[in-house]
Amino acid sequence: MNLAIAFFLLFVVATFGLAIIASRRAGKASEFYAAGHNIGGVQNGLAIAGDFVSAASFLGVTGVMYGAGFEGLLLPIGVLTGWPLMLMIFADRMRNLGRYTFIDVLAYRLQGNGIRISAALTALCINTMYAVVQLVGAGQLLSLLLGVGYVPSLIVVTVLMAVYVIMGGMLVTTWIQMIKATLLLLGGAAMAAMILSRFGFSLDQLVASAVAIHPKGEAILKPGLSYFSDPLSSVSLSIALVFGALGMPHVVMRFFTAPTAKEARSAVFWATVFAGLFYVMLIFIGYGAIAMVMADPAIGAGGMPAGGTNMVVMHLTRLVGGEAFFGFMAAVSFATILAVVAGLAISGAATLSHDLARIVAPKLVATEKDEIRVSRFGAVLVSAVALALAILFEKENIAFLGSLALGTAAAANVPVLFLALYWQGLTPRGATWGILTGLFLSIVLIAMGPVVMIGSLGLKESLISIVNPTLFAMIGTIVVAWVLSVTDRSAAADAARAGFAAQELASERV
Amino acid sequence: MDRSIIARRLRRVVAFSLAASLPYVAFVTLLIVSPATMGLRPFGGSVSLAIYLAFFLFAWPIFIAAIYLRGIGAGARS
């Protein structure tokens, strides 16, 4: 048995042990969904950073840098840019108003079933899209690691994740996320140091080597080679990256694990620190991938390495650290994916049982135990749908697929959440149709664009050329939410406006 | 209105403005305005200005978040 498989099995056994310990505490809804509202700032910060320092970041960004150089760095820069905004406009207010899901926050003063159903639908779509991103990475990673096929690898990941979530809920998900974020930070730092050591600890030498070997030459030092090739696409993708994190249900859900608003703010600050540190390492790892993997005649010379762009970083780990380091980083990458997918499954499960089942089938969730049972079933359902879609998107770069999920969150959730928190005039009708407009425009425009029509369906042309439609979908959400709110004269609208002062008071608790 | 609330809200506004303006101006400049300038090598080596800017853009959210937390903390204590 080689070292990579040994590390992988060690990780599976260790996390399974954690799941057993956590399962003793996951009997109550507050424990299952929100880890008992008892996770401190630094730990929560690690877990939140872990949600973003994911397969899309580590595997996907390096892959984009391998093909397009500097442009790959713009993806994590965009995401990190949004985090101070998350701290300032959302973190403490969400913590004070919500219980288990971000839909609780919307429903604080916006009464009626419409808002819960529309927001639940959006949350499930976003969770599924982001889970697909992670599963594509997991399938390719396990194929490379274990030598089995892509689909069997996906099934292994999905089953493992479902077991963890069903047993340990949010608590085990948070523990795994913290451990994995720590290991990934340490592994990334070691990797960056080993890469630099090959180039005399000179960034200049490293970049010069990358430019010399890359077919695009000096063009890899500036944007424009791939996703940021024209101003409209650049603006739209930037909006998706900057605002996406603020609307991701599985990230926002982490605020509810904080005991106080102060701890929620502290968590976002530490998450920013940890993620920022990791992203800096990607500068060295990305250019190191070009300089070393592309130059290696056995791996990258003359074309794409085995596993495609998403696996470039794994080849790099083997080149800089040998079999042992490859095994360690493969296990850490796998842990990354597992933890993020588990978080997404918990979030999807909470939406299904806590928000949707209460309205559609209240008898199914009559007691707390029933609700948790439905949640566990929901986790399996979300995973199964993501598994099916991951098979379809096998060839896409996962950093970019991630940006589409972020884009949908930015377009549908963020404007309505912002208006709900800061604009007295928002009514249930405006919020409901605003969210649905954002979701509908995002999905339809992505489906009509090149990612689906050319990349997945294999057609020669797409109906529209823009790859990330967040700009248009977000404008649509804002316009619909505003128009339908200001023209709303219903009793529910009056109640929502009247409830704003009380909501503001509750949301500003320090 | 209580002075501590005013102070907290003021700090929130200042920090929000900083956060909302600086990064986006930098980000948009980096992306769109002039890719040609990104080829500049400020220290005479191989590394372009864009890559040095990336270090800055990864660091500033930490800085701005720290300022904001201090502001909120001071507001809460006053």
Side-chain angles (χ1 to χ4, degrees), chain A residues 147-230:
Chain A
V148 294
Y150 176 72
V151 175
S153 300
L154 283 181
I155 293 169
V156 169
V157 179
T158 311
V159 169
L160 273 176
M161 179 278 301
V163 168
Y164 294 150
V165 171
I166 287 168
M167 287 177 71
M170 184 56 122
L171 191 61
V172 74
T173 306
T174 305
W175 284 347
I176 295 175
Q177 201 61 281
M178 283 159 53
I179 294 168
K180 150 261 146 150
T182 308
L183 291 175
L184 195 58
L185 276 168
L186 294 174
M191 200 167 164
M194 283 191 273
I195 290 166
L196 278 174
S197 73
R198 302 287 181 101
F199 297 90
F201 288 96
S202 161
L203 180 61
D204 206 57
Q205 267 193 41
L206 169 63
V207 172
S209 303
V211 168
I213 194 81
H214 200 285
K216 304 283 182 190
E218 293 213 339
I220 63 169
L221 300 179
K222 56 191 179 186
L225 283 181
S226 182
Y227 304 124
F228 294 89
S229 52
D230 69 277

Side-chain angles (χ1 to χ4, degrees), chain A residues 74 85 88 204 221 238 508, chain B residues 9 12 24 31 41 46:
Chain A
L74 292 173
L85 293 180
M88 291 163 199
D204 206 57
L221 300 179
S238 304
E508 287 193 349
Chain B
R9 288 192 174 166
R12 192 183 279 265
Y24 306 123
L31 288 177
R41 287 158 177 77
S46 297

Side-chain angles (χ1 to χ4, degrees), chain A residues 26 36 51 168 184 340 443 472-473:
Chain A
D51 276 326
L184 195 58
V340 174
I443 290 178
F472 306 102

Side-chain angles (χ1 to χ4, degrees), chain A residues 312-393:
Chain A
V312 165
V313 72
M314 298 319 303
H315 293 291
L316 182 62
T317 58
R318 189 175 258 147
L319 282 176
V320 295
E323 272 309 304
F325 191 62
F326 168 74
F328 172 73
M329 289 308 286
V332 172
S333 303
F334 179 74
T336 297
I337 292 165
L338 204 59
V340 174
V341 180
L344 290 163
I346 285 272
S347 172
T351 304
L352 270 175
S353 60
H354 181 66
D355 298 309
L356 213 52
R358 273 184 182 184
I359 299 163
V360 179
K363 282 184 184 171
L364 277 179
V365 289
T367 67
E368 198 171 277
K369 276 191 173 178
D370 291 339
E371 190 175 321
I372 293 175
R373 197 177 302 129
V374 172
S375 283
R376 287 173 168 145
F377 170 75
V380 175
L381 190 69
V382 169
S383 314
V385 174
L387 174 73
L389 289 172
I391 295 169
L392 188 70
F393 286 102

Side-chain angles (χ1 to χ4, degrees), chain A residues 3-4 105 109 134 171 185 218 231 243 278 321 328 330 450 503:
Chain A
L3 276 169
V105 179
R109 70 181 172 97
Q134 307 301 324
L171 191 61
L185 276 168
E218 293 213 339
F243 293 102
F278 180 77
F328 172 73
Q503 175 190 286

